[in-house]
């Protein structure tokens, strides 16, 4: 049975099992590969997407849960890739390996949508749970602060 939802502003309908993780729907069925597989257990944040504006681990969100919802992936954050966070990420040279970055940006976008000028403490608290194996946390915080300032 097909599940209908909106992804990156476009209607989608995917015929897959109801317990298929959204991550695999996004990557395999819809061919949007910016969302990454990290741990598969909802512990690392690499697969973060927005569901109705809330950051969720797509590896732990089942297809049945997205019926009628609005999903945003890194590809849908900005049509031209010029979201203030994306520009700040480049300016602050955040990525090292880059694998976790789409999840980091999506988590940060949730914060900035709710809190226009978050404190450093709010940033650190909000980003807790998104893991960067390369340890670029100071650059991530600076990029979020820059995006809040310049956004």
């Amino acid at each position: 049975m097909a599940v209908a939802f909106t992804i990156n502003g476009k209607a989608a309908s995917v015929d897959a099992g109801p317990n298929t993780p959204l991550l695999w729907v996004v990557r395999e069925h819809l061919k949007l590969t910016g969302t990454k597989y990290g741990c598969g257990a909802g512990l690392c944040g690499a697969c973060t997407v927005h569901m109705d504006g809330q950051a969720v681990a797509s590896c732990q969100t089942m297809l049945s849960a997205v019926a009628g919802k609005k999903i945003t992936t890194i590809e849908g954050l900005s049509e031209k890739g010029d979201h203030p966070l994306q520009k700040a990420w480049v300016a602050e040279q955040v990525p090292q390996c880059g694998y976790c970055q789409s999840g980091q940006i999506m988590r940060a976008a949730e914060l900035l949508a709710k809190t226009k000028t978050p404190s450093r403490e709010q940033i650190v608290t909000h980003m807790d749970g998104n893991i960067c194996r390369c340890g670029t946390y100071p650059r991530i915080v600076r990029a979020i602060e820059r995006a809040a300032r310049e956004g």
Side-chain angles (χ1 to χ4, degrees):
M1 185 170 159
V3 174
F5 56 98
T6 302
I7 187 156
N8 299 335
K10 297 177 184 165
S13 181
V14 174
D15 190 8
N19 291 328
T20 303
L22 177 59
L23 173 63
W24 300 123
V25 170
V26 167
R27 290 183 59 81
E28 302 298 326
H29 293 268
L30 302 175
K31 305 300 182 197
L32 297 169
T33 57
T35 303
K36 304 300 183 198
Y37 173 81
C39 66
L43 302 173
C44 74
C47 70
T48 302
V49 299
H50 293 176
M51 182 165 66
D52 289 342
Q54 180 178 349
V56 297
S58 63
C59 72
Q60 296 297 297
T61 304
M62 300 306 124
L63 179 59
S64 59
V66 303
K69 305 283 186 178
K70 292 179 183 174
I71 305 301
T72 305
T73 67
I74 190 72
E75 292 92 346
L77 190 60
S78 169
E79 193 173 302
K80 296 178 183 175
D82 61 354
H83 186 280
L85 280 164
Q86 292 167 311
K87 292 183 340 189
W89 240 247
V90 172
E92 293 295 334
Q93 300 179 359
V94 173
Q96 190 164 319
C97 85
Y99 197 81
C100 71
Q101 299 309 304
S102 62
Q104 298 277 0
I105 290 171
M106 293 305 289
R107 172 74 66 189
E110 176 193 43
L111 172 63
L112 293 183
K114 295 176 182 177
T115 308
K116 298 299 179 201
T117 54
S119 68
R120 186 174 198 82
E121 183 179 319
Q122 287 173 306
I123 293 169
V124 171
T125 299
H126 187 81
M127 297 302 291
D128 186 37
N130 277 65
I131 297 171
C132 175
R133 288 182 168 229
C134 300
T136 66
Y137 300 112
R139 289 184 273 182
I140 290 168
V141 171
R142 283 195 308 269
I144 296 168
E145 289 172 333
R146 177 186 285 249
R149 256 189 338 269
E150 297 176 0

